[in-house]
Amino acid sequence: MRLEKVINRIEIQDEYKEFVEKYIDEILAEFGGQVHSLYMCGSVPKGTATPFKSDADFTLVCAKPEEIDYDKVSLIKDRLLAQYPFLTKIDTIVCSIDDVLHKPNEWGFWIKIICVCVHGPDLGEQVPPIVIAPAFILDLNTDTEAEVKRLHRLLAETDDPALKTRYIKGYAKRLIRALYSLVLEHTGVWEDDIVEMKNAIATYCEIDSAWVEELYACYLNPDVPVAEFLGLADQVYRYFEQALQTMAASRTASD
């Protein structure tokens, strides 16, 4: 079974068009020929963004990511956030052409399936079809363990209430996305709607559904005690880790 693209047509709402054009112009003015192509994902290119609730997510693809000055990217972000305050935040991921073309189940998946091209030649067209199979799901979760540990550490160490809220929300979403990857062979599509993810997990995953509902509640309302959330997150991740190990063992046995 092949994964289909999440966004088939760009439908940026009128109130966001100027911002997107300005972002592209500023990135190109700053980095010029270093940029191969630019991509977006999420509600803005889908045309479902909500002012003062939605953020903007970009991916910059270039030959040498190490040559991109992240401080300059941050300055562009800060200027545009001040100019367009209806955006909650602006995220920019930078990856290499080589990663997209030679890691089809990781960066290739991201560019081909999740993102849409808003400037330059679309590298996703050069990525082979993404086949839903254990190998793909395992590759998709290559960095999940490291990211979970990072979020756990950040949350445990911070005393800043605003950062606690941000980390809990991000951690909860990361775990829901990880769990959803386990049921892709049942759904056949990559959902970017967290409610649809949650419902699919409840339908197809053997995890305790109460954990999933609690995790979703924490995503919606991150104002929960850190210790309580980390206890839930640890339970969920242990289940996920075991499921992934079982998948890997099954794959090895069938090879």
Side-chain angles (χ1 to χ4, degrees), residues 6-214:
V6 171
I7 305 172
N8 292 308
R9 185 174 61 183
I10 300 174
E11 297 186 1
I12 300 172
Q13 296 142 282
D14 289 342
E15 58 264 49
Y16 289 88
K17 286 180 180 177
E18 182 182 279
F19 155 71
V20 173
E21 291 171 0
K22 192 72 174 291
Y23 175 92
I24 294 171
D25 287 346
E26 293 216 11
I27 288 292
L28 295 178
E30 185 63 58
F31 300 108
Q34 293 169 279
V35 178
H36 173 277
S37 44
L38 282 163
Y39 303 79
M40 292 194 76
C41 65
S43 60
V44 173
K46 285 179 72 175
T48 58
T50 302
F52 302 101
K53 290 186 178 180
S54 299
D55 57 10
D57 298 292
F58 293 90
T59 298
L60 189 164
V61 177
C62 57
K64 298 179 179 180
E66 65 275 12
E67 293 182 354
I68 300 297
D69 187 331
Y70 285 85
D71 289 337
K72 291 181 179 179
V73 174
S74 292
L75 287 174
I76 292 172
K77 176 198 72 174
D78 292 342
R79 284 199 300 271
L80 293 179
L81 282 174
Q83 189 173 351
Y84 302 96
F86 54 80
L87 290 161
T88 57
K89 64 175 180 173
I90 302 169
D91 285 333
T92 303
I93 298 171
V94 181
C95 71
S96 72
I97 297 170
D98 187 65
D99 279 343
V100 175
L101 297 180
H102 296 99
K103 296 180 180 179
N105 288 348
E106 298 171 52
W107 284 109
F109 157 77
W110 179 256
I111 294 299
K112 185 179 184 69
I113 303 298
I114 304 298
C115 296
V116 288
C117 187
V118 292
H119 172 79
D122 187 356
L123 271 185
E125 295 177 356
Q126 298 183 43
V127 176
I130 305 293
V131 178
I132 302 172
F136 165 66
I137 296 168
L138 291 167
D139 283 350
L140 191 60
N141 286 290
T142 299
D143 66 342
T144 298
E145 180 181 6
E147 181 64 9
V148 163
K149 287 181 177 178
R150 185 185 74 87
L151 288 168
H152 192 291
R153 175 179 54 78
L154 289 172
L155 187 52
E157 291 177 354
T158 187
D159 292 321
D160 185 322
L163 286 177
K164 284 181 182 179
T165 296
R166 176 182 169 186
Y167 294 150
I168 287 175
K169 192 176 183 72
Y171 198 170
K173 186 175 184 179
R174 180 74 187 206
L175 288 172
I176 290 172
R177 287 184 62 184
L179 290 173
Y180 182 75
S181 73
L182 298 176
V183 303
L184 275 175
E185 290 182 289
H186 296 282
T187 67
V189 296
W190 181 267
E191 287 288 354
D192 62 353
D193 184 297
I194 197 165
V195 175
E196 295 296 331
M197 286 187 181
K198 174 182 73 74
N199 292 340
I201 293 164
T203 301
Y204 298 112
C205 201
E206 295 180 359
I207 192 172
D208 188 332
S209 59
W211 291 357
V212 182
E213 291 296 337
E214 287 179 48

